[in-house]
Amino acid sequence: ITPPKLPGTHVLADYPLERLVETIDWTPFFRTWELAGNYPRILDDEIVGESARQLFADAKTMLDEIIEQKWLTAHGVLTLLPANTEGDDLIIWADEDRREERMRFPFLRQQTEKRSGRPNVCLSDFVAPVDSGIADFVGGFAVTAGHGIENKLVEFQADHDDYRDILLKALADRLAESFAEHLHLRVRREFWGYAPDESLSNDELIREKYRGIRPAPGYPACPDHSAKPDLFALLGAESVAGMRLTESFAMLPTASVSGFYFGHPDARYFGVAKVGRDQVEDYAARRGISFDLAERYLSPNLGYDPD
């Protein structure tokens, strides 16, 4: 286990957008426009290639405008903190003494039938248990590239320019995702520093060839969106990055990404999939919420009929 070289919280205000261009994953951009295929091969596709090339040219032109004219502003925050686990709970410690809990994140474990030798995993598996005596660490982050977008969208809507409206929204989303990728790279090399010599191409980054993962609340490994308020509180995301959550835990600005950093060499992405009533009961108890509320938060993952 590598202790973070730069522990604690780091604010990245008004982050240079030009630094985020290199790590853009363009494939989801084309899918936004219902053009099937992976970048860059889609540009030469026999069926959609011509449309993809024109769209890409327009996107690159607008991207230059976004950067040169500061249409968008990017803010980010990350934190690297002492942590351990207790069962399926992640414990964030108040300090390196590891005596006082600052926050606790209950996670879910897979409950699927697997062939012999394949475990049902939980994110807590990638952090040392508290009774191991090992001083482990985790991180959290929140980034946005969406500040300022409303001003331009109002302008486009006034001109009835639906094309540029959608194009800007799609590019803001790509820049936010790129910010998450770029910052994770810097975490591995600099802030946490467990991979100081990492040198990967953008294609290798997209294919997640690096050590560590950054799972996000609401996604397959931790499907409960309601973990976001605690993550935002841990980061101070609202005050330092101007990010906030709606009542349904959607992030604003919409071009935003948040999640955790796990640095264990064996950490990998997975899906919790369906869970039984027994785990929902256990999860509700660990979260300190009612069973009915836990069912509501986990409704897409219920492996039984709640009625």
Side-chain angles (χ1 to χ4, degrees):
I1 291 172
T2 305
K5 290 183 178 179
L6 300 170
T9 300
H10 305 271
V11 178
L12 300 96
D14 197 7
Y15 202 77
L17 293 175
E18 57 269 22
R19 296 191 66 183
L20 307 180
V21 174
E22 185 179 346
T23 47
I24 290 177
D25 179 2
W26 285 104
T27 295
F29 170 80
F30 291 105
R31 290 177 182 165
T32 298
W33 299 85
E34 299 183 350
L35 295 176
N38 293 327
Y39 175 83
R41 291 192 301 274
I42 191 173
L43 300 178
D44 297 316
D45 186 90
E46 292 183 1
I47 299 173
V48 301
E50 183 176 355
S51 297
R53 287 191 297 272
Q54 182 59 58
L55 177 62
F56 190 53
D58 292 344
K60 298 285 280 196
T61 298
M62 180 176 281
L63 189 58
D64 289 341
E65 292 180 289
I66 290 170
I67 295 170
E68 292 170 8
Q69 300 177 31
K70 292 285 289 182
W71 289 3
L72 302 175
T73 302
H75 295 314
V77 56
L78 72 98
T79 192
L80 299 168
L81 299 168
N84 288 105
T85 54
E86 184 176 58
D88 291 344
D89 289 356
L90 172 67
I91 301 170
I92 306 295
W93 298 110
D95 52 44
E96 279 284 10
D97 288 341
R98 299 172 186 263
R99 294 174 182 170
E100 179 185 349
E101 287 188 25
R102 179 176 176 183
M103 199 166 286
R104 182 178 285 243
F105 290 93
F107 290 128
L108 293 163
R109 184 171 296 279
Q110 293 174 319
Q111 288 185 287
T112 57
E113 291 283 345
K114 294 186 178 182
R115 64 176 180 267
S116 179
R118 295 193 64 195
N120 281 316
V121 295
C122 176
L123 285 174
S124 63
D125 295 342
F126 305 133
V127 180
V130 65
D131 58 10
S132 70
I134 296 173
D136 210 341
F137 303 86
V138 298
F141 74 95
V143 296
T144 181
H147 288 297
I149 193 172
E150 293 302 328
N151 294 332
K152 294 304 295 186
L153 294 180
V154 167
E155 180 183 316
F156 294 152
Q157 289 160 8
D159 293 337
H160 305 287
D161 194 341
D162 293 341
Y163 177 66
R164 283 168 67 80
D165 180 284
I166 298 170
L167 188 60
L168 178 57
K169 290 175 182 175
L171 287 173
D173 286 342
R174 288 299 89 215
L175 286 168
E177 293 287 350
S178 180
F179 197 176
E181 188 75 85
H182 170 84
L183 187 56
H184 194 188
L185 183 153
R186 290 194 61 193
V187 165
R188 298 190 300 273
R189 286 180 180 171
E190 306 167 33
F191 294 99
W192 197 330
Y194 60 74
D197 301 320
E198 178 188 299
S199 179
L200 299 174
S201 68
N202 191 42
D203 183 59
E204 288 171 319
L205 292 176
I206 291 169
R207 290 187 287 123
E208 299 160 359
K209 295 298 183 181
Y210 45 78
R211 169 182 160 181
I213 57 175
R214 55 173 191 274
Y219 284 78
C222 45
D224 184 0
H225 285 274
S226 72
K228 288 178 188 173
D230 283 346
L231 177 60
F232 269 46
L234 193 68
L235 293 161
E238 184 167 356
S239 61
V240 302
M243 299 171 63
R244 61 186 179 88
L245 298 169
T246 68
E247 290 185 359
S248 59
F249 311 116
M251 291 180 287
L252 296 174
T254 54
S256 300
V257 184
S258 64
F260 301 95
Y261 292 132
F262 291 82
H264 194 287
D266 294 331
R268 59 181 175 82
Y269 293 105
F270 62 91
V272 168
K274 300 299 183 183
V275 295
R277 186 182 298 272
D278 57 338
Q279 184 166 189
V280 177
E281 291 173 348
D282 174 72
Y283 184 73
R286 289 187 288 126
R287 281 288 312 273
I289 59 178
S290 70
F291 177 75
D292 289 344
L293 186 57
E295 277 195 327
R296 195 175 85 198
Y297 286 159
L298 301 176
S299 58
N301 294 83
L302 298 181
Y304 61 93
D305 185 351
D307 297 326

